Amino acid sequence: MALIGNDIDDAARKPGGQPTRDSGRTCSLTRPHLVVVCGLAGVGKSEISRRLAKELRAVFLDKDTLAQAFTEELLQRIGCLPHDRESGNYLSVVRPLEYQQLEAAAAENVALGMNVVTTAPYMRETQDPDWYDAMLEQVTAAGAVLKVVWVRADPAAMRSYIEQRNDPRDQWKRSHWDEYISSTAWDRPPRFPHTAIDNSTYNADSAPIGQILGLVEAWEREDADAPHLASAVR
């Protein structure tokens, strides 16, 4: 169903809070930026990503929005539960397709000269420098800039938010929390250049506005200082 009118604000509303609003400032980036926002379930990366997208006037691509419908259908067709996110079938068959779809959509928009913010856990990818190098090469070839934002939160904050949102996809995590959190290396940062945001004290789903605005302003300063040609729309 298409989102119109106030439904757009409702879609960006955090549980129990207010709609995400931008600061009213004008984004001064001259080159398109691809911002990859990663982190475990329950760290608040969706809210941070939405706020970044608003400040950057960027295309916002959430893996779950793009992929959830076909993911659930495909899982059922291969004999799995629709909300399965832990089985070998999901991890080896379905997950790669989700990320392929997300990255293709991001590349298409970057090639059009758009700022793009993507959000997904990216847990395998953050530990693979080759993935970063390939992404950086592709983005740079398009005349754009790649930024990675890693959102973390302590296990108590993550658990609180996961229980609060009560998503069927989190059922296994909620039922096996100790096993889940011990298997995640939850405090292991990406193995390549990134910016970290600790969201533990923000109840895991309210955007730390000061950090986000500071990040955008830093990117704008870098962009203004970098010698580059104006990127052509492809």
Side-chain angles (χ1 to χ4, degrees), residues 101-128:
Q101 182 83 0
L102 178 63
E103 291 173 10
E108 188 171 56
N109 280 281
V110 167
L112 292 172
M114 308 295 291
N115 291 326
V116 179
V117 175
T118 68
T119 185
Y122 287 102
M123 299 314 297
R124 289 183 183 176
E125 291 75 10
T126 58
Q127 301 307 306
D128 182 2

PDB file of all heavy atoms in Angstrom, residues 101-128:
ATOM      1  N   GLN A 101      19.760  -7.530  -3.617  1.00  0.00           N
ATOM      2  CA  GLN A 101      18.696  -6.592  -3.977  1.00  0.00           C
ATOM      3  C   GLN A 101      18.976  -5.208  -3.400  1.00  0.00           C
ATOM      4  O   GLN A 101      18.829  -4.183  -4.084  1.00  0.00           O
ATOM      5  CB  GLN A 101      17.358  -7.114  -3.447  1.00  0.00           C
ATOM      6  CG  GLN A 101      16.149  -6.263  -3.786  1.00  0.00           C
ATOM      7  CD  GLN A 101      15.605  -6.562  -5.165  1.00  0.00           C
ATOM      8  OE1 GLN A 101      16.139  -7.406  -5.880  1.00  0.00           O
ATOM      9  NE2 GLN A 101      14.543  -5.886  -5.531  1.00  0.00           N
ATOM     10  N   LEU A 102      19.378  -5.158  -2.141  1.00  0.00           N
ATOM     11  CA  LEU A 102      19.660  -3.886  -1.480  1.00  0.00           C
ATOM     12  C   LEU A 102      20.800  -3.148  -2.167  1.00  0.00           C
ATOM     13  O   LEU A 102      20.705  -1.946  -2.456  1.00  0.00           O
ATOM     14  CB  LEU A 102      20.001  -4.151  -0.012  1.00  0.00           C
ATOM     15  CG  LEU A 102      20.387  -2.944   0.841  1.00  0.00           C
ATOM     16  CD1 LEU A 102      19.229  -1.955   0.941  1.00  0.00           C
ATOM     17  CD2 LEU A 102      20.831  -3.397   2.234  1.00  0.00           C
ATOM     18  N   GLU A 103      21.876  -3.856  -2.462  1.00  0.00           N
ATOM     19  CA  GLU A 103      23.032  -3.208  -3.055  1.00  0.00           C
ATOM     20  C   GLU A 103      22.772  -2.781  -4.496  1.00  0.00           C
ATOM     21  O   GLU A 103      23.280  -1.744  -4.943  1.00  0.00           O
ATOM     22  CB  GLU A 103      24.240  -4.142  -2.953  1.00  0.00           C
ATOM     23  CG  GLU A 103      24.706  -4.311  -1.508  1.00  0.00           C
ATOM     24  CD  GLU A 103      25.792  -5.357  -1.341  1.00  0.00           C
ATOM     25  OE1 GLU A 103      26.333  -5.834  -2.370  1.00  0.00           O
ATOM     26  OE2 GLU A 103      26.094  -5.710  -0.184  1.00  0.00           O
ATOM     27  N   ALA A 104      21.959  -3.546  -5.223  1.00  0.00           N
ATOM     28  CA  ALA A 104      21.612  -3.151  -6.598  1.00  0.00           C
ATOM     29  C   ALA A 104      20.781  -1.871  -6.599  1.00  0.00           C
ATOM     30  O   ALA A 104      20.996  -0.974  -7.424  1.00  0.00           O
ATOM     31  CB  ALA A 104      20.857  -4.278  -7.291  1.00  0.00           C
ATOM     32  N   ALA A 105      19.824  -1.771  -5.669  1.00  0.00           N
ATOM     33  CA  ALA A 105      18.996  -0.565  -5.582  1.00  0.00           C
ATOM     34  C   ALA A 105      19.848   0.640  -5.202  1.00  0.00           C
ATOM     35  O   ALA A 105      19.670   1.747  -5.725  1.00  0.00           O
ATOM     36  CB  ALA A 105      17.870  -0.766  -4.578  1.00  0.00           C
ATOM     37  N   ALA A 106      20.790   0.446  -4.284  1.00  0.00           N
ATOM     38  CA  ALA A 106      21.670   1.542  -3.876  1.00  0.00           C
ATOM     39  C   ALA A 106      22.540   1.991  -5.046  1.00  0.00           C
ATOM     40  O   ALA A 106      22.667   3.199  -5.309  1.00  0.00           O
ATOM     41  CB  ALA A 106      22.537   1.097  -2.705  1.00  0.00           C
ATOM     42  N   ALA A 107      23.135   1.045  -5.761  1.00  0.00           N
ATOM     43  CA  ALA A 107      24.016   1.390  -6.884  1.00  0.00           C
ATOM     44  C   ALA A 107      23.260   2.153  -7.965  1.00  0.00           C
ATOM     45  O   ALA A 107      23.790   3.103  -8.560  1.00  0.00           O
ATOM     46  CB  ALA A 107      24.641   0.118  -7.462  1.00  0.00           C
ATOM     47  N   GLU A 108      22.026   1.742  -8.220  1.00  0.00           N
ATOM     48  CA  GLU A 108      21.231   2.408  -9.253  1.00  0.00           C
ATOM     49  C   GLU A 108      20.984   3.866  -8.904  1.00  0.00           C
ATOM     50  O   GLU A 108      21.075   4.756  -9.761  1.00  0.00           O
ATOM     51  CB  GLU A 108      19.909   1.660  -9.424  1.00  0.00           C
ATOM     52  CG  GLU A 108      19.067   2.116 -10.590  1.00  0.00           C
ATOM     53  CD  GLU A 108      17.889   1.187 -10.826  1.00  0.00           C
ATOM     54  OE1 GLU A 108      17.096   0.961  -9.887  1.00  0.00           O
ATOM     55  OE2 GLU A 108      17.762   0.686 -11.952  1.00  0.00           O
ATOM     56  N   ASN A 109      20.685   4.140  -7.637  1.00  0.00           N
ATOM     57  CA  ASN A 109      20.413   5.514  -7.218  1.00  0.00           C
ATOM     58  C   ASN A 109      21.685   6.350  -7.136  1.00  0.00           C
ATOM     59  O   ASN A 109      21.683   7.538  -7.482  1.00  0.00           O
ATOM     60  CB  ASN A 109      19.679   5.505  -5.877  1.00  0.00           C
ATOM     61  CG  ASN A 109      18.205   5.215  -6.036  1.00  0.00           C
ATOM     62  OD1 ASN A 109      17.424   6.076  -6.391  1.00  0.00           O
ATOM     63  ND2 ASN A 109      17.821   3.968  -5.779  1.00  0.00           N
ATOM     64  N   VAL A 110      22.784   5.752  -6.687  1.00  0.00           N
ATOM     65  CA  VAL A 110      24.058   6.473  -6.653  1.00  0.00           C
ATOM     66  C   VAL A 110      24.471   6.873  -8.067  1.00  0.00           C
ATOM     67  O   VAL A 110      24.953   7.980  -8.307  1.00  0.00           O
ATOM     68  CB  VAL A 110      25.146   5.613  -5.977  1.00  0.00           C
ATOM     69  CG1 VAL A 110      26.528   6.208  -6.227  1.00  0.00           C
ATOM     70  CG2 VAL A 110      24.886   5.512  -4.477  1.00  0.00           C
ATOM     71  N   ALA A 111      24.259   5.969  -9.037  1.00  0.00           N
ATOM     72  CA  ALA A 111      24.620   6.265 -10.424  1.00  0.00           C
ATOM     73  C   ALA A 111      23.806   7.429 -10.990  1.00  0.00           C
ATOM     74  O   ALA A 111      24.236   8.090 -11.932  1.00  0.00           O
ATOM     75  CB  ALA A 111      24.419   5.025 -11.290  1.00  0.00           C
ATOM     76  N   LEU A 112      22.644   7.698 -10.389  1.00  0.00           N
ATOM     77  CA  LEU A 112      21.824   8.839 -10.800  1.00  0.00           C
ATOM     78  C   LEU A 112      22.211  10.126 -10.071  1.00  0.00           C
ATOM     79  O   LEU A 112      21.569  11.155 -10.249  1.00  0.00           O
ATOM     80  CB  LEU A 112      20.345   8.531 -10.534  1.00  0.00           C
ATOM     81  CG  LEU A 112      19.730   7.438 -11.412  1.00  0.00           C
ATOM     82  CD1 LEU A 112      18.326   7.082 -10.915  1.00  0.00           C
ATOM     83  CD2 LEU A 112      19.664   7.885 -12.867  1.00  0.00           C
ATOM     84  N   GLY A 113      23.256  10.051  -9.244  1.00  0.00           N
ATOM     85  CA  GLY A 113      23.719  11.238  -8.535  1.00  0.00           C
ATOM     86  C   GLY A 113      23.007  11.502  -7.236  1.00  0.00           C
ATOM     87  O   GLY A 113      23.088  12.607  -6.695  1.00  0.00           O
ATOM     88  N   MET A 114      22.319  10.495  -6.685  1.00  0.00           N
ATOM     89  CA  MET A 114      21.549  10.666  -5.459  1.00  0.00           C
ATOM     90  C   MET A 114      22.375  10.299  -4.234  1.00  0.00           C
ATOM     91  O   MET A 114      23.187   9.368  -4.279  1.00  0.00           O
ATOM     92  CB  MET A 114      20.309   9.773  -5.491  1.00  0.00           C
ATOM     93  CG  MET A 114      19.451   9.916  -6.728  1.00  0.00           C
ATOM     94  SD  MET A 114      18.693  11.554  -6.860  1.00  0.00           S
ATOM     95  CE  MET A 114      17.518  11.474  -5.504  1.00  0.00           C
ATOM     96  N   ASN A 115      22.163  11.001  -3.130  1.00  0.00           N
ATOM     97  CA  ASN A 115      22.615  10.503  -1.841  1.00  0.00           C
ATOM     98  C   ASN A 115      21.732   9.315  -1.460  1.00  0.00           C
ATOM     99  O   ASN A 115      20.510   9.344  -1.680  1.00  0.00           O
ATOM    100  CB  ASN A 115      22.509  11.574  -0.764  1.00  0.00           C
ATOM    101  CG  ASN A 115      23.493  12.704  -0.957  1.00  0.00           C
ATOM    102  OD1 ASN A 115      24.605  12.503  -1.437  1.00  0.00           O
ATOM    103  ND2 ASN A 115      23.086  13.917  -0.595  1.00  0.00           N
ATOM    104  N   VAL A 116      22.337   8.290  -0.893  1.00  0.00           N
ATOM    105  CA  VAL A 116      21.600   7.081  -0.537  1.00  0.00           C
ATOM    106  C   VAL A 116      22.019   6.640   0.866  1.00  0.00           C
ATOM    107  O   VAL A 116      23.206   6.619   1.190  1.00  0.00           O
ATOM    108  CB  VAL A 116      21.883   5.930  -1.534  1.00  0.00           C
ATOM    109  CG1 VAL A 116      21.132   4.663  -1.128  1.00  0.00           C
ATOM    110  CG2 VAL A 116      21.511   6.343  -2.957  1.00  0.00           C
ATOM    111  N   VAL A 117      21.033   6.282   1.673  1.00  0.00           N
ATOM    112  CA  VAL A 117      21.288   5.673   2.976  1.00  0.00           C
ATOM    113  C   VAL A 117      20.678   4.280   2.963  1.00  0.00           C
ATOM    114  O   VAL A 117      19.479   4.122   2.700  1.00  0.00           O
ATOM    115  CB  VAL A 117      20.671   6.501   4.125  1.00  0.00           C
ATOM    116  CG1 VAL A 117      20.852   5.770   5.466  1.00  0.00           C
ATOM    117  CG2 VAL A 117      21.300   7.887   4.187  1.00  0.00           C
ATOM    118  N   THR A 118      21.503   3.258   3.201  1.00  0.00           N
ATOM    119  CA  THR A 118      20.998   1.899   3.316  1.00  0.00           C
ATOM    120  C   THR A 118      21.127   1.440   4.761  1.00  0.00           C
ATOM    121  O   THR A 118      22.041   1.869   5.476  1.00  0.00           O
ATOM    122  CB  THR A 118      21.771   0.910   2.418  1.00  0.00           C
ATOM    123  OG1 THR A 118      23.102   0.748   2.900  1.00  0.00           O
ATOM    124  CG2 THR A 118      21.807   1.400   0.979  1.00  0.00           C
ATOM    125  N   THR A 119      20.227   0.552   5.178  1.00  0.00           N
ATOM    126  CA  THR A 119      20.334   0.000   6.527  1.00  0.00           C
ATOM    127  C   THR A 119      19.995  -1.476   6.525  1.00  0.00           C
ATOM    128  O   THR A 119      19.032  -1.911   5.892  1.00  0.00           O
ATOM    129  CB  THR A 119      19.447   0.771   7.529  1.00  0.00           C
ATOM    130  OG1 THR A 119      19.673   0.260   8.845  1.00  0.00           O
ATOM    131  CG2 THR A 119      17.971   0.655   7.192  1.00  0.00           C
ATOM    132  N   ALA A 120      20.836  -2.232   7.203  1.00  0.00           N
ATOM    133  CA  ALA A 120      20.700  -3.677   7.365  1.00  0.00           C
ATOM    134  C   ALA A 120      21.746  -4.083   8.396  1.00  0.00           C
ATOM    135  O   ALA A 120      22.669  -3.315   8.682  1.00  0.00           O
ATOM    136  CB  ALA A 120      20.940  -4.399   6.034  1.00  0.00           C
ATOM    137  N   PRO A 121      21.652  -5.291   8.938  1.00  0.00           N
ATOM    138  CA  PRO A 121      22.685  -5.698   9.912  1.00  0.00           C
ATOM    139  C   PRO A 121      24.099  -5.735   9.320  1.00  0.00           C
ATOM    140  O   PRO A 121      25.058  -5.310   9.970  1.00  0.00           O
ATOM    141  CB  PRO A 121      22.225  -7.089  10.349  1.00  0.00           C
ATOM    142  CG  PRO A 121      20.735  -7.052  10.187  1.00  0.00           C
ATOM    143  CD  PRO A 121      20.510  -6.225   8.948  1.00  0.00           C
ATOM    144  N   TYR A 122      24.272  -6.271   8.120  1.00  0.00           N
ATOM    145  CA  TYR A 122      25.591  -6.355   7.464  1.00  0.00           C
ATOM    146  C   TYR A 122      26.627  -7.057   8.354  1.00  0.00           C
ATOM    147  O   TYR A 122      27.822  -6.714   8.314  1.00  0.00           O
ATOM    148  CB  TYR A 122      26.126  -4.961   7.119  1.00  0.00           C
ATOM    149  CG  TYR A 122      25.469  -4.246   5.972  1.00  0.00           C
ATOM    150  CD1 TYR A 122      24.538  -3.238   6.205  1.00  0.00           C
ATOM    151  CD2 TYR A 122      25.796  -4.546   4.654  1.00  0.00           C
ATOM    152  CE1 TYR A 122      23.940  -2.557   5.148  1.00  0.00           C
ATOM    153  CE2 TYR A 122      25.211  -3.860   3.591  1.00  0.00           C
ATOM    154  CZ  TYR A 122      24.282  -2.869   3.853  1.00  0.00           C
ATOM    155  OH  TYR A 122      23.707  -2.174   2.813  1.00  0.00           O
ATOM    156  N   MET A 123      26.205  -8.053   9.144  1.00  0.00           N
ATOM    157  CA  MET A 123      27.142  -8.628  10.108  1.00  0.00           C
ATOM    158  C   MET A 123      28.272  -9.400   9.433  1.00  0.00           C
ATOM    159  O   MET A 123      29.422  -9.334   9.868  1.00  0.00           O
ATOM    160  CB  MET A 123      26.388  -9.509  11.109  1.00  0.00           C
ATOM    161  CG  MET A 123      25.355  -8.745  11.929  1.00  0.00           C
ATOM    162  SD  MET A 123      25.968  -7.175  12.603  1.00  0.00           S
ATOM    163  CE  MET A 123      27.255  -7.750  13.686  1.00  0.00           C
ATOM    164  N   ARG A 124      27.976 -10.159   8.392  1.00  0.00           N
ATOM    165  CA  ARG A 124      29.057 -10.831   7.659  1.00  0.00           C
ATOM    166  C   ARG A 124      29.944  -9.813   6.951  1.00  0.00           C
ATOM    167  O   ARG A 124      31.177  -9.900   6.972  1.00  0.00           O
ATOM    168  CB  ARG A 124      28.475 -11.784   6.619  1.00  0.00           C
ATOM    169  CG  ARG A 124      27.823 -13.032   7.169  1.00  0.00           C
ATOM    170  CD  ARG A 124      27.357 -13.910   6.019  1.00  0.00           C
ATOM    171  NE  ARG A 124      26.668 -15.093   6.476  1.00  0.00           N
ATOM    172  CZ  ARG A 124      26.101 -15.987   5.670  1.00  0.00           C
ATOM    173  NH1 ARG A 124      26.143 -15.803   4.349  1.00  0.00           N
ATOM    174  NH2 ARG A 124      25.503 -17.056   6.162  1.00  0.00           N
ATOM    175  N   GLU A 125      29.292  -8.867   6.313  1.00  0.00           N
ATOM    176  CA  GLU A 125      30.014  -7.903   5.482  1.00  0.00           C
ATOM    177  C   GLU A 125      30.975  -7.049   6.294  1.00  0.00           C
ATOM    178  O   GLU A 125      32.067  -6.702   5.807  1.00  0.00           O
ATOM    179  CB  GLU A 125      29.018  -7.028   4.734  1.00  0.00           C
ATOM    180  CG  GLU A 125      28.219  -7.737   3.665  1.00  0.00           C
ATOM    181  CD  GLU A 125      27.115  -8.649   4.210  1.00  0.00           C
ATOM    182  OE1 GLU A 125      26.821  -8.598   5.427  1.00  0.00           O
ATOM    183  OE2 GLU A 125      26.547  -9.410   3.410  1.00  0.00           O
ATOM    184  N   THR A 126      30.600  -6.697   7.521  1.00  0.00           N
ATOM    185  CA  THR A 126      31.461  -5.822   8.311  1.00  0.00           C
ATOM    186  C   THR A 126      32.768  -6.494   8.714  1.00  0.00           C
ATOM    187  O   THR A 126      33.723  -5.807   9.097  1.00  0.00           O
ATOM    188  CB  THR A 126      30.746  -5.332   9.579  1.00  0.00           C
ATOM    189  OG1 THR A 126      30.330  -6.453  10.360  1.00  0.00           O
ATOM    190  CG2 THR A 126      29.554  -4.460   9.228  1.00  0.00           C
ATOM    191  N   GLN A 127      32.824  -7.818   8.617  1.00  0.00           N
ATOM    192  CA  GLN A 127      34.048  -8.542   8.953  1.00  0.00           C
ATOM    193  C   GLN A 127      34.819  -8.980   7.706  1.00  0.00           C
ATOM    194  O   GLN A 127      35.716  -9.801   7.778  1.00  0.00           O
ATOM    195  CB  GLN A 127      33.714  -9.741   9.837  1.00  0.00           C
ATOM    196  CG  GLN A 127      33.019  -9.372  11.127  1.00  0.00           C
ATOM    197  CD  GLN A 127      33.777  -8.302  11.912  1.00  0.00           C
ATOM    198  OE1 GLN A 127      34.972  -8.469  12.195  1.00  0.00           O
ATOM    199  NE2 GLN A 127      33.107  -7.210  12.270  1.00  0.00           N
ATOM    200  N   ASP A 128      34.453  -8.427   6.563  1.00  0.00           N
ATOM    201  CA  ASP A 128      35.047  -8.822   5.287  1.00  0.00           C
ATOM    202  C   ASP A 128      35.624  -7.594   4.581  1.00  0.00           C
ATOM    203  O   ASP A 128      34.921  -6.908   3.833  1.00  0.00           O
ATOM    204  CB  ASP A 128      33.989  -9.494   4.415  1.00  0.00           C
ATOM    205  CG  ASP A 128      34.538  -9.987   3.090  1.00  0.00           C
ATOM    206  OD1 ASP A 128      35.758  -9.852   2.861  1.00  0.00           O
ATOM    207  OD2 ASP A 128      33.744 -10.509   2.279  1.00  0.00           O
TER     208      ASP A 128
END
